[in-house]
Amino acid sequence: DAGITQSPRYKITETGRQVTLMCHQTWSHSYMFWYRQDLGHGLRLIYYSAAADITDKGEVPDGYVVSRSKTENFPLTLESATRSQTSVYFCASCEGQPAVDEKLFFGSGTQLSVL
Amino acid sequence: QKEVEQNSGPLSVPEGAIASLNCTYSDRGSQSFFWYRQYSGKSPELIMFIYSNGDKEDGRFTAQLNKASQYVSLLIRDSQPSDSATYLCAVPSYTGGFKTIFGAGTRLFVKA
């Protein structure tokens, strides 16, 4: 199906483990983003990417790694999970044309619990 | 100062009333402004966007923008219980590359 999909939908892991959250979009949008959402903080930007092989840090990048070898995929890796990384993670994509097309399309989210 | 600020609420209004949601932003160079709605346990979805000063209406929703005051608002007329959700104000930024900054969101409850 066309759109933006995230996997897994739910994940439970232990502190210190490596976890990878997957994000795939079928629109060939240039821009992709990873946000985390916690109570009282809204959506905070972790990393973003303007195109394949171009990534940049957002507001809260510590403890996360991203890659974008193909336009359609933007995986997010927690190298050594900590309890503070328990959150809901949203992937989003956008064509990113100024004043023309800046609306974000979101995946369904991944609820991650780090025990 | 946060780049995009919203009153977290909750805002409670009776069915049929007007709900008014407010947002301020810090970057005077911002040109476009978005409102997303997020139901509990779901992902955000776009409601409206506005680029020009003044009002923009779409059905029961009106977005208002005042760039001089760095203020954007969303009015929901004839509020319905189905409007109960968190409303997120979002501002695209081009500093250091294109990205969208979100406010913390305002929780709205519409009482039947």
Side-chain angles (χ1 to χ4, degrees), chain A residues 10-43:
Chain A
Y10 302 94
K11 177 72 177 178
I12 299 174
T13 191
E14 296 176 339
T15 55
R17 291 192 179 266
Q18 183 179 84
V19 177
T20 296
L21 310 183
M22 305 302 292
C23 180
H24 175 79
Q25 54 107 351
T26 60
W27 292 301
S28 297
H29 282 166
S30 299
Y31 292 88
M32 296 188 75
F33 309 86
W34 275 106
Y35 291 91
R36 60 177 289 174
Q37 188 171 38
D38 308 287
L39 277 174
H41 290 282
L43 289 163

Side-chain angles (χ1 to χ4, degrees), chain A residues 9 31 33 35 37 40-43 45 48 56 90 94-109, chain B residues 2 32-34 36 38 41-46 49 51 86 88 92 94-105:
Chain A
R9 185 73 178 89
Y31 292 88
F33 309 86
Y35 291 91
Q37 188 171 38
H41 290 282
L43 289 163
L45 184 64
Y48 58 106
D56 211 340
F90 286 103
C94 175
E95 192 49 50
Q97 297 178 25
V100 175
D101 193 352
E102 299 162 314
K103 59 182 177 287
L104 296 182
F105 295 86
F106 285 87
S108 298
Chain B
K2 287 188 176 180
S32 51
F33 307 87
F34 290 71
Y36 291 81
Q38 186 178 23
K42 302 295 186 182
S43 54
E45 56 180 347
L46 180 69
F49 57 90
Y51 295 125
T86 296
L88 300 163
Y94 292 87
T95 303
F98 170 71
K99 54 191 176 290
T100 297
I101 307 300
F102 285 82

Side-chain angles (χ1 to χ4, degrees), chain B residues 1-20:
Chain B
Q1 181 189 4
K2 287 188 176 180
E3 294 186 58
V4 180
E5 296 205 53
Q6 296 180 255
N7 187 326
S8 62
L11 173 65
S12 184
V13 300
E15 184 175 359
I18 296 175
S20 178

Side-chain angles (χ1 to χ4, degrees), chain A residues 56-67:
Chain A
D56 211 340
K57 295 178 180 179
E59 181 185 0
V60 288
D62 293 344
Y64 303 95
V65 174
V66 292
S67 62

Side-chain angles (χ1 to χ4, degrees), chain B residues 30-86:
Chain B
S30 296
Q31 296 296 316
S32 51
F33 307 87
F34 290 71
W35 284 99
Y36 291 81
R37 176 177 62 198
Q38 186 178 23
Y39 291 114
S40 180
K42 302 295 186 182
S43 54
E45 56 180 347
L46 180 69
I47 300 176
M48 289 191 69
F49 57 90
I50 185 168
Y51 295 125
S52 303
N53 272 332
D55 295 358
K56 178 182 179 182
E57 189 174 314
D58 184 0
R60 294 186 297 111
F61 298 95
T62 299
Q64 299 176 318
L65 175 60
N66 184 326
K67 290 186 178 180
S69 300
Q70 296 176 249
Y71 177 92
V72 58
S73 64
L74 179 69
L75 301 178
I76 306 175
R77 291 183 302 280
D78 188 24
S79 295
Q80 302 296 309
S82 59
D83 295 324
S84 298
T86 296

